[in-house]
Amino acid sequence: MQPIEEDDADEEELSDEDKLKAYDPRISEVAEVYYSESEGTLRISNSYGLNLVHKSNSFAIGAEVIAKDGDQTKSAYDSFIGNDLSKLNIDELAKKIASQALDQLNGEQCKTGKYKVILSNDVLCSLTKVFV
């Protein structure tokens, strides 16, 4: 377990809404930005002398944006969870969140029928999590 150092968690960078808004002028609002840390200890022991301890920590950062184009409004949310701040690319996360919202704009309804489709991993997870 490697502690998350406060000096590494540059709160100004982590909560910078400007990166989300600057991605595209159609990003009209940043509805939420959050950062949290957690830490836990698991101990397993028994009367035979077993005494195991596992410690862990993690952080999570996420945001939700709202994109507007004319009278259409769409939103998107994403997050990053890990325990190594050096693996967090805040610019990449901001781009992913903004892109998800913008990709939903100007969609058109298609005629009823049978179509072959390709589902993103996020969509497939959303559809199947009901069964887990």
Side-chain angles (χ1 to χ4, degrees), residues 32-49:
E32 176 186 22
V33 174
Y34 78 89
Y35 176 82
S36 66
E37 294 181 2
S38 66
E39 178 178 310
T41 303
L42 172 67
R43 179 182 297 271
I44 301 173
S45 57
N46 64 19
S47 58
Y48 294 108

Side-chain angles (χ1 to χ4, degrees), residues 20 30-34 61-65 76-80 93 97:
L20 292 161
V30 177
E32 176 186 22
V33 174
Y34 78 89
I61 182 170
E64 179 181 10
V65 299
Y77 169 87
D78 206 349
S79 62
F80 177 90
L93 182 60
I97 295 167

Side-chain angles (χ1 to χ4, degrees), residues 35-118:
Y35 176 82
S36 66
E37 294 181 2
S38 66
E39 178 178 310
T41 303
L42 172 67
R43 179 182 297 271
I44 301 173
S45 57
N46 64 19
S47 58
Y48 294 108
L50 179 70
N51 188 17
L52 301 173
V53 177
H54 175 74
K55 293 183 177 184
S56 63
N57 65 3
S58 64
F59 71 93
I61 182 170
E64 179 181 10
V65 299
I66 297 172
K68 291 185 180 179
D69 190 12
D71 60 348
Q72 287 190 20
T73 303
K74 301 293 180 181
S75 66
Y77 169 87
D78 206 349
S79 62
F80 177 90
I81 300 170
N83 61 1
D84 184 354
L85 279 171
S86 68
K87 293 184 179 177
L88 170 63
N89 184 334
I90 200 77
D91 294 324
E92 180 109 358
L93 182 60
K95 178 181 176 182
K96 184 177 179 184
I97 295 167
S99 293
Q100 287 175 355
L102 295 169
D103 288 348
Q104 296 177 61
L105 292 172
N106 302 313
E108 296 179 10
Q109 233 176 356
C110 60
K111 293 181 182 177
T112 302
K114 289 186 178 185
Y115 298 95
K116 291 183 180 184
V117 296
I118 298 174

